[in-house]
Amino acid sequence: ANAGGSEALLRGEDGSDLRVRIFWNEEGELAKGSHLEAQGSFSPPDAEQKWIIQRGMVGSLKLSSITDKGLGDGLWGVIDTFRAVNTARISAYEGEGAALLAGVLLGNREFLRGSDVEQDFLTCGLTHLVAVSG
């Protein structure tokens, strides 16, 4: 999630899952798979926001507070933790080799953005190979 708005899956008190568009004013990124506790105001989509319904969302949530409860548990929590830990390890190294490793091993193309390697993969039509695990 970022300050500009992101899609999120919310779990209601009754255990049901709801997809919403969230907006918040804090800077920074949350790790994919983060479990959050949030408070805010919910708005169903209006007539001009048909795209929200088409994407399977029930509305928008403007957050007034958000608490990161860390990565989830279970299999996805293990996978997300593996990615987060190893992304931090790989980011300690410089160069295109480290960026390519992060893309291929972890599905993280962040380090390749704007690089010559990314452009080479785009030119050859092979970008799908970089983030196979993503």
Side-chain angles (χ1 to χ4, degrees):
N2 61 42
S6 297
E7 291 182 31
L9 182 65
L10 303 180
R11 179 148 302 131
E13 290 180 357
D14 64 354
S16 62
D17 290 335
L18 303 170
R19 288 184 52 178
V20 297
R21 182 92 172 149
I22 59 170
F23 298 91
W24 59 304
N25 295 323
E26 296 181 29
E27 293 296 322
E29 294 277 331
L30 296 169
K32 181 179 179 181
S34 292
H35 284 216
L36 309 172
E37 185 174 285
Q39 293 183 347
S41 57
F42 175 79
S43 301
D46 60 31
E48 294 181 16
Q49 295 177 313
K50 292 179 184 176
W51 62 273
I52 288 178
I53 296 169
Q54 291 170 342
R55 294 188 71 158
M57 293 183 276
V58 296
S60 299
L61 183 63
K62 185 172 183 179
L63 301 180
S64 56
S65 69
I66 187 167
T67 304
D68 188 351
K69 298 290 189 175
L71 296 173
D73 46 3
L75 178 60
W76 287 114
V78 170
I79 292 168
D80 291 333
T81 300
F82 174 84
R83 284 184 176 156
V85 167
N86 287 292
T87 295
R89 287 181 179 160
I90 291 171
S91 68
Y93 297 95
E94 294 182 14
E96 294 173 338
L100 190 57
L101 181 63
V104 172
L105 180 63
L106 306 172
N108 184 336
R109 294 172 43 182
E110 169 187 345
F111 303 114
L112 280 174
R113 290 210 169 87
S115 72
D116 291 339
V117 171
E118 180 186 45
Q119 187 56 51
D120 292 343
F121 274 83
L122 284 168
T123 301
C124 295
L126 298 174
T127 55
H128 62 283
L129 296 178
V130 176
V132 168
S133 65

